[in-house]
């Protein structure tokens, strides 16, 4: 049904103030599409609204709401309830955590509860705090969504939420990754900027569960630098990783120049990294979804991907859909270096991803959930 008046939706976009993560991509892609809906009046909040406006050029400037500071406590306890009241918001959309005081209907997206699925990867305090906060969020949600079937089952199991209350609004891949490009030209452009053009790529935040230490060990043990390969690691360090840090600090002098890391890249830079890469490896133990291997595969880059957690759904990677263990990763990478999959195989994988994961479909799914709920307003 169509609402009698515009539905005022507030989006908590504080994630744009911090390090890059999947929830930022989710908000950006979903609301870039929903901003075109005439039935919705979108308001979006962050501390740095100048930066935020770059991602949502079609949303009017007066709909960007600046938080008073970066503190999550002030944001959730004071800022957002006040914003909701002032602008007479109908729905507020949060990732994971919500304000204590509820004065409108809540949309809550929980991307994962990996700290409960893989407790050994997180501290006791982290597990305890996140369990309490996430539980409060899902209980208060009027529309509760998650991004994968794996996460849906985990929320049901660990947070005690009935399956029928949880809606699947999947992550997806932007159309730009599927666009054709010239590999040779991409490599030349990349080499002119970075001084090399033969490399293995891994895009992810640096955390123990992501397995950076494992991939670096494989790179060293296979002596891939002797074949002219670099290992490129893109992403912020968001947790202590003692094993990886020790490896990086003690790299042999002949290997050190072949390991390239960068904390932050723009969207255009990231696309060039994908286009120029020879192989993409994603050895993560656990993900709520796992967008980077899909982006790489959409760009027809040969991908080796973990087959655990939500990534178990990526069976289209075939024999390169492997356990995130040392020997499995080593064997798959050695084989791919020796004989890379041909374009027909890579094209089939890209086409499969294009059919299965669409931001337009996901945005429409969330829009339908909002419209179906408006009879309570």
């Amino acid at each position: 049904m169509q609402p009698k008046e515009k539905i005022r939706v507030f989006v908590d976009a504080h994630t744009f103030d911090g390090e890059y993560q999947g929830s930022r991509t989710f908000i950006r892609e979903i609301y870039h599409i929903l901003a075109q809906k005439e039935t919705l009046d979108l308001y979006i909040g962050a501390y740095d609204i100048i930066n935020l406006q770059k991602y949502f050029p079609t949303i009017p400037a007066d709909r960007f709401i600046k938080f008073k500071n970066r503190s999550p406590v002030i944001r959730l306890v004071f800022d957002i309830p006040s914003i909701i009241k002032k602008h007479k918001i109908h729905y507020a959309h949060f990732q994971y955590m919500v304000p204590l005081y509820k004065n409108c209907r809540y949309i809550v997206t929980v991307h994962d509860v990996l700290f409960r699925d893989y407790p050994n990867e997180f501290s006791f305090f982290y597990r305890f705090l996140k369990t309490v906060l996430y539980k409060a969020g899902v209980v208060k949600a009027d529309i509760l969504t998650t991004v994968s079937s794996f996460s849906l089952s985990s929320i049901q199991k660990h947070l005690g939420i009935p399956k029928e209350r949880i809606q699947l609004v999947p992550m997806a891949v932007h159309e730009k990754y599927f666009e054709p490009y010239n590999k040779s030209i991409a490599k030349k452009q990349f080499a002119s900027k970075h001084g090399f053009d033969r490399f293995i790529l891994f895009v992810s935040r640096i955390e123990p569960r992501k397995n950076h230490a494992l991939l670096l060990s494989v790179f060293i043990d296979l002596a891939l630098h002797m074949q002219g390969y670099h290992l490129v690691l893109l992403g912020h360090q968001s947790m202590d990783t003692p094993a990886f840090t020790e490896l990086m600090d003690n790299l042999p002098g002949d290997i050190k120049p072949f390991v390239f890391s960068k904390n932050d890249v723009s969207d255009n830079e990231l696309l060039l990294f994908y286009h120029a890469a020879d192989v993409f490896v994603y050895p993560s133990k656990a993900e709520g979804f796992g967008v980077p291997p899909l982006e790489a595969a959409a760009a027809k880059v040969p991908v080796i991907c973990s087959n655990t957690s939500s990534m178990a759904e990526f069976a289209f990677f075939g024999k390169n859909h492997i356990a995130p263990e040392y020997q499995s990763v080593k064997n798959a990478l050695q084989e791919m270096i020796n004989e890379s999959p041909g374009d027909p195989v890579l094209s089939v994988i890209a086409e499969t991803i294009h059919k299965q994961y669409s931001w337009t479909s996901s945005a429409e799914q969330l829009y339908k959930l909002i419209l179906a709920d408006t009879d309570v307003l």
Side-chain angles (χ1 to χ4, degrees), residues 67 116 127 175 243 248 314:
F67 295 144
R116 296 295 299 271
R127 299 196 310 269
E175 287 294 323
M248 288 290 285
F314 302 163

Side-chain angles (χ1 to χ4, degrees), residues 68-219:
K68 293 180 180 178
N69 64 48
R70 297 177 184 269
S71 165
V73 174
I74 292 177
R75 181 182 76 248
L76 292 172
V77 175
F78 300 105
D79 278 3
I80 293 179
S82 176
I83 291 167
I84 290 170
K85 181 179 179 181
K86 177 180 178 180
H87 297 283
K88 299 180 181 179
I89 299 298
H90 296 120
Y91 289 90
H93 191 170
F94 303 96
Q95 312 297 301
Y96 301 104
M97 294 179 287
V98 303
L100 291 173
Y101 174 62
K102 183 179 180 182
N103 55 345
C104 75
R105 295 185 71 75
Y106 283 176
I107 305 166
V108 179
T109 299
V110 176
H111 295 251
D112 63 74
V113 286
L114 293 174
F115 55 90
R116 296 295 299 271
D117 292 306
Y118 297 85
N120 292 336
E121 301 294 323
F122 303 88
S123 70
F124 171 79
F125 178 75
Y126 183 97
R127 299 196 310 269
F128 173 77
L129 181 63
K130 293 294 186 180
T131 298
V132 171
L133 294 174
Y134 287 18
K135 179 71 174 181
V138 298
V139 167
K140 290 186 177 183
D142 298 287
I143 298 173
L144 175 60
T145 79
T146 191
V147 297
S148 69
S149 297
F150 170 79
S151 290
L152 191 153
S153 296
S154 294
I155 292 167
Q156 178 187 14
K157 176 182 177 181
H158 297 301
L159 300 183
I161 303 300
K163 185 176 181 180
E164 58 271 17
R165 274 206 59 212
I166 312 168
Q167 303 295 328
L168 186 59
V169 179
M171 297 284 284
V173 181
H174 194 282
E175 287 294 323
K176 66 185 177 184
Y177 293 104
F178 296 97
E179 294 175 357
Y181 64 97
N182 185 297
K183 190 79 172 181
S184 297
I185 293 175
K187 280 186 167 292
K188 288 178 182 177
Q189 291 175 339
F190 187 90
S192 69
K193 292 184 177 182
H194 300 288
F196 63 91
D197 68 355
R198 203 176 192 196
F199 64 96
I200 296 149
L201 178 63
F202 182 20
V203 178
S204 177
R205 285 180 294 166
I206 300 175
E207 298 179 8
R209 67 183 168 95
K210 302 286 190 172
N211 257 342
H212 286 76
L214 182 150
L215 181 57
L216 181 55
S217 294
V218 167
F219 180 80

Side-chain angles (χ1 to χ4, degrees), residues 1-7 39-40 367 370-371 374 377:
M1 61 176 285
Q2 293 295 316
K4 296 179 181 178
E5 62 174 315
K6 280 196 172 188
I7 304 169
T39 51
L40 300 182
Y367 182 58
I370 294 172
L371 290 183
T374 54
L377 295 178

Side-chain angles (χ1 to χ4, degrees), residues 214-224 255 326 330 334:
L214 182 150
L215 181 57
L216 181 55
S217 294
V218 167
F219 180 80
I220 294 170
D221 293 347
L222 288 176
L224 293 178
I255 296 178
Y326 175 84
K330 182 178 180 180
Q334 180 67 78

Side-chain angles (χ1 to χ4, degrees), residues 233-246:
L233 307 171
L234 301 183
H236 290 86
Q237 177 143 3
S238 51
M239 288 186 180
D240 289 336
T241 52
F244 175 65
T245 300
E246 183 176 358

